Amino acid sequence: MSRWSALRNVVQSVADLKRSTRPRAARPTGKRRLVATLRRTLSYTPRLDGAADPGEIVWTDVAYEDQPDVVKDRPVLVVGRRDARTVLGLMLSSKGHRADDANWMAVGTGDWDRERRPSYVRLDRVLELAEDSIRKEGAVLDSARFERVSEALRERGGWS
């Protein structure tokens, strides 16, 4: 085997290892599973301590709804926990056309977006995030805006 072939094999092995150990992307709770089936209590408890807490905006890979094998690195508002290792979150977007969609709520600007663009949080797609899939804490949503999001989730049902 030539040196180049051996080097190519090593590079391929490293690439395969990275793919196999990469944390799983956040998946929606399911198209048919209603937000109401995830009854959770909302509480505002941000603590920038390395763990994802309700009220914090974190960054993780989120799978596209219509293409589950394609992911995008995006900010997610943590709204609760399913268990000790799984957090519940709502994805954010800075796309202006979200303003006209009833499933999206404006939350304004914040440190999670370097360009400080107005952001929107998606209310109808709850993500279950493995704690170890979260790469970084991006910011904290202030309590007044978190309460507006909480009220919208309560009105949709399944949250208290």
Side-chain angles (χ1 to χ4, degrees), residues 70-89:
V70 179
V71 297
K72 180 178 180 180
D73 185 38
R74 65 181 324 130
V76 173
L77 172 62
V78 177
V79 293
R81 284 195 166 271
R82 186 176 60 116
D83 56 42
R85 294 186 306 260
T86 309
V87 298
L88 302 175

Side-chain angles (χ1 to χ4, degrees), residues 80-127:
R81 284 195 166 271
R82 186 176 60 116
D83 56 42
R85 294 186 306 260
T86 309
V87 298
L88 302 175
L90 306 174
M91 67 180 178
L92 279 88
S93 173
S94 59
K95 302 293 184 195
H97 67 273
R98 306 287 190 211
D100 299 327
D101 189 326
N103 290 318
W104 292 83
M105 169 188 256
V107 292
T109 62
D111 293 337
W112 58 87
D113 185 293
R114 281 179 286 184
E115 297 175 33
R116 310 266 315 161
R117 295 171 293 189
S119 294
Y120 305 86
V121 64
R122 186 169 180 180
L123 299 170
D124 68 329
R125 184 180 180 205
V126 180
L127 303 172

Side-chain angles (χ1 to χ4, degrees), residues 62-74:
V62 176
Y64 282 83
E65 200 168 16
D66 56 347
Q67 296 176 325
D69 294 334
V70 179
V71 297
K72 180 178 180 180
D73 185 38
R74 65 181 324 130

